[in-house]
Amino acid sequence: MNSGTQTAKIYDKIYLNGQWVAPQGKGFLPVIDSTTEAIIAQIPEANAADADAAVAAAKNAFVSWSTTPVAARAKYLQAIADKLKERQAEIANLIAEEVGMPLPLATAVQAGLPIATFSYYAKQATEYAFEEQVANSLIVREPVGVVGCITPWNYPLHQVAAKVAPALAAGCTVVLKPSEIAPLTAFILAEIVDEVGLPAGVFNLVTGVGTVVGEALAAHPDVDMVSFTGSTRAGKRVSELAAQTIKRVALELGGKSANIILDDADFTKAVSGGVANCYFNSGQTCSAHTRMLVPKNRQDEAIQIAKATAEKFKPGDPKADGTRLGPLVSATQQERVRGYIQKGIDEGATLVTGGTEAPENLDKGFFVRPTVFANVKNSMTIAQEEIFGPVLSIIPYEDEADAINIANDTVYGLSGGVWSSDVERAKNVARRLRTGQVDINGGKFNPFAPFGGYKQSGNGREFGKFGLEEFLEIKSLQL
Ligand code: NAD
């Protein structure tokens, strides 16, 4: 366990128009280590006036950045990727502290993906056809303008990179409002942006709470687009505010994804893989496969495998060797997740393993026991609401059609899985799922495939060329 003796680092400036400046908002927000519960940093609680100043800087910078040759923009992106690589260990360490992800995973995923994303868009921008001829028209794709980026805490830098890299590649300028719960790597990004000499105003960082800085960006008449990742609740509010100026809104929201294990699947692989997927980042993943759908007559078999797998995810210090399950991000999240576990018990689901008590020997840190429920009905709260913790619901189904109905019986549609020994059968089932991504037989995450949701999981796609196109307007010139 960490000692809890960290000294809090004070950040007292935001990054605005190419400079670190004291914000007009005078408050501070604490950043907490999810394992030791110590305050590791204080960040500025900027206000709407700071958001205004950042938007003005971004608007001013747009004139030249949008007409900077793509190759020159790409060079900046690659330079950012290179600097992120130099600081990969530091980034992983901070995110392990903030979010609680085990360090080796934080290194590969939390710190690794942003490097890949900036590098990818450096290349993608230079290869993308920004112009095409259609009969007597020249179709030109142009940057949408000033983009307000609002991001969550669960993959803090990955979510930032998913917006900032393609927006800059497209020729947009950016005001970033990162999560106040895991903001520290956004400061590293701003330091890097400053170091590589990105022109003033192209990237601005304004920290603060969502209801103040986030809402100011969503409502601002000079922000042309808001790209938001977070809860469906906040996404709805952002959309309402943005509607007043008809700005473009991209939303990456919550999920309640179904993992359909068909009767011909390799059960050991499918069930253990499904549990691991659900518990990744302690279940704090929007695309987590939190509902495991199994044939009714094989539920007992699935329960046994799920229990054995879940019990191997012993909660512990994310920085200790061999830890597979860290704490949750905050006391609020811990309480919320335990509340859902209690609700599952109260509504009559079978508690297979886990529960509401603190894990043994962990009296500090926001830990929750890895939990599996079985005999879950899809109408239960734990099958309908996003829990964002290590809680798996096993739902029995009658036949393939029933499984598809259950999978689609949700307001969400972000991700999902299908397992079968017959890949064609699995693909056909996947095509019938109303969701943005489906992993076949545990197909691994592809950071260049489009990512985004159907239904209340959001609008638009991030990553790949689709992620670049989010930030482009289309104009046609008739010749
Ligand atoms: P959140 O909605 O509480 O906060 C996300 C961001 O929005 C933060 O920066 C926050 O300050 C800001 N915010 C909050 N209220 C706001 C408002 N009224 N106006 C403007 N901005 C506001 O979400 P969170 O707890 O940080 O993150 C967890 C959620 O994010 C989960 O629901 C998860 O599914 C979702 N998520 C989705 C994806 C995806 O790609 N679909 C990825 C990661 C996380």
Side-chain angles (χ1 to χ4, degrees), residues 84 87-96 110-111 157 185 188 192:
L84 286 170
R87 297 180 73 173
Q88 183 166 6
E90 184 191 351
I91 289 168
N93 193 62
L94 281 175
I95 297 179
Q110 301 273 16
L157 192 58
T185 52
I188 292 186
I192 288 174

Side-chain angles (χ1 to χ4, degrees), residues 44-95:
E45 186 177 2
N47 62 20
D50 296 309
D52 276 352
V55 171
K59 187 180 177 189
N60 191 40
F62 180 73
V63 180
S64 60
W65 183 248
S66 59
T67 52
T68 299
V70 173
R73 296 203 295 256
K75 270 197 183 142
Y76 284 111
L77 292 181
Q78 189 53 50
I80 293 172
D82 295 344
K83 294 276 176 197
L84 286 170
K85 177 96 191 122
E86 284 170 21
R87 297 180 73 173
Q88 183 166 6
E90 184 191 351
I91 289 168
N93 193 62
L94 281 175
I95 297 179

Side-chain angles (χ1 to χ4, degrees), residues 116-159:
T117 301
F118 272 96
S119 212
Y120 174 83
Y121 281 111
K123 190 160 177 284
Q124 175 64 238
T126 52
E127 290 172 357
Y128 187 76
F130 284 89
E131 298 196 351
E132 72 184 282
Q133 183 92 28
V134 177
N136 69 320
S137 298
L138 180 67
I139 315 295
V140 295
R141 290 179 175 80
E142 300 178 337
V144 72
V146 173
V147 181
C149 300
I150 305 174
T151 55
W153 49 260
N154 56 334
Y155 292 87
L157 192 58
H158 171 60
Q159 297 302 338

Side-chain angles (χ1 to χ4, degrees), residues 13 19 41 51 86 106-107 121 125 138 142 153 156 176 201 217 230 252 281 308 322 397-398 418 443:
K13 296 194 170 65
Q19 295 198 314
E86 284 170 21
T107 307
Y121 281 111
L138 180 67
E142 300 178 337
W153 49 260
L176 169 64
L217 293 176
E252 298 285 344
N281 201 21
Y397 67 80
E398 297 287 345
V418 182

Side-chain angles (χ1 to χ4, degrees), residues 418 420 422-432 440:
V418 182
S420 169
D422 176 350
V423 173
E424 286 311 309
R425 182 182 174 202
K427 286 201 298 206
N428 282 332
V429 170
R431 288 194 175 95
R432 292 165 68 191
I440 309 283

